[in-house]
Amino acid sequence: MGKTIHTDAVDNLFDAILTLETREECYKFFEDVCTVNEIISFAQRLEVAKMLMAGNTYLEISEITGASTATISRVNRSLTYGADGYKIAFDRLNSK
């Protein structure tokens, strides 16, 4: 069986994230916890997911976001077979 993210350390990380109240607090926290490239990669994956859900092609997504086709495919696999995390986030963002 593969690695699981369900650990006490990950629970603590998520609990810390859930305490953040403003975008500025998120910037401060993630700049301390992640590299700039990691943050940009997270943001790129979110943008790729949004564009896939909107029906954009891989070529369009790659040209606009700079994401590789491997990244786009990985995100698409998550949208199709994943835990619905993107859907939950987008549903909540769209309800604001």
Side-chain angles (χ1 to χ4, degrees):
M1 179 162 274
K3 289 183 181 180
T4 180
I5 65 167
H6 298 274
T7 65
D8 289 342
V10 175
D11 284 349
N12 289 334
L13 171 65
F14 292 161
D15 289 344
I17 291 168
L18 289 168
T19 68
L20 303 173
E21 295 180 0
T22 66
R23 184 176 288 146
E24 187 57 33
E25 287 180 357
C26 288
Y27 272 103
K28 289 177 179 184
F29 180 80
F30 282 96
E31 284 178 23
D32 284 348
V33 172
C34 300
T35 66
V36 171
N37 285 338
E38 288 169 334
I39 296 167
I40 290 169
S41 291
F42 288 147
Q44 182 186 61
R45 290 180 199 141
L46 192 64
E47 191 64 21
V48 166
K50 183 169 67 172
M51 293 180 76
L52 283 167
M53 292 172 73
N56 292 87
T57 67
Y58 278 35
L59 180 60
E60 292 169 331
I61 295 167
S62 181
E63 288 175 349
I64 292 169
T65 67
S68 69
T69 55
T71 295
I72 298 167
S73 179
R74 191 175 321 115
V75 171
N76 192 42
R77 195 167 39 254
S78 292
L79 288 171
T80 305
Y81 303 109
D84 288 335
Y86 285 114
K87 183 180 179 334
I88 292 166
F90 287 128
D91 285 350
R92 291 188 182 156
L93 284 169
N94 291 332
S95 71
K96 285 186 173 187

